[in-house]
Amino acid sequence: QVKLVESGGGAMQAGDSLRLSCVASERTFVAYTLSWFRQAPGKEREFVGGISWSDGNTYYGDFVKGRFTISGDNAKNMVFLQMNSLKPEDTAVYYCAATSNHGPASSSTAYYDSWGQGTQVTVSS
């Protein structure tokens, strides 16, 4: 497992932009797939998107529709989630997740073996 720490959440207005960061403690960063999930009150944890260091691709949940972008900095062991045009329905706790599996980022929570503590994002209309 790898320790993950998210940051950057906060209270926003609809239409704002926000960037979340996740730092991983494991130096063998290239072996991991890193993804973002979110969970709103009373709802299941939802796949936002992920980046696979093994194939260099990024993957997104169906709802993203171009509003969110995932990027990473391998040298700093970090992954970012840039969120634009925020909506009230984006309100959730956002989690960073990692797996030692090689391959595409999966939308299944069971695929991941390390999770951060989450960071709250609240969007008001």
Side-chain angles (χ1 to χ4, degrees):
Q1 290 190 347
V2 60
K3 182 180 180 181
L4 304 169
V5 179
E6 305 95 335
S7 62
M12 312 300 293
Q13 295 290 322
D16 285 350
S17 295
L18 185 67
R19 190 175 85 153
L20 305 182
S21 300
C22 171
V23 58
S25 61
E26 178 54 63
R27 288 191 172 272
T28 53
F29 192 74
V30 68
Y32 288 84
T33 294
L34 287 162
S35 293
W36 289 96
F37 285 76
R38 69 182 188 182
Q39 189 166 20
K43 295 188 177 182
E44 294 186 353
R45 196 163 293 191
E46 178 181 36
F47 178 69
V48 177
I51 185 166
S52 171
W53 297 109
S54 59
D55 64 17
N57 292 325
T58 52
Y59 302 83
Y60 295 97
D62 292 340
F63 74 90
V64 170
K65 299 187 186 302
R67 292 192 299 124
F68 297 174
T69 302
I70 290 175
S71 61
D73 186 330
N74 193 7
K76 296 182 179 179
N77 290 353
M78 296 186 75
V79 64
F80 307 99
L81 175 63
Q82 176 68 43
M83 301 186 290
N84 298 326
S85 302
L86 284 166
K87 303 176 181 180
E89 51 263 44
D90 294 321
T91 295
V93 177
Y94 283 73
Y95 296 92
C96 182
T99 177
S100 57
N101 292 320
H102 293 266
S106 173
S107 61
S108 171
T109 58
Y111 189 72
Y112 300 87
D113 46 40
S114 300
W115 292 86
Q117 82 288 351
T119 185
Q120 176 71 47
V121 174
T122 302
V123 184
S124 301
S125 58

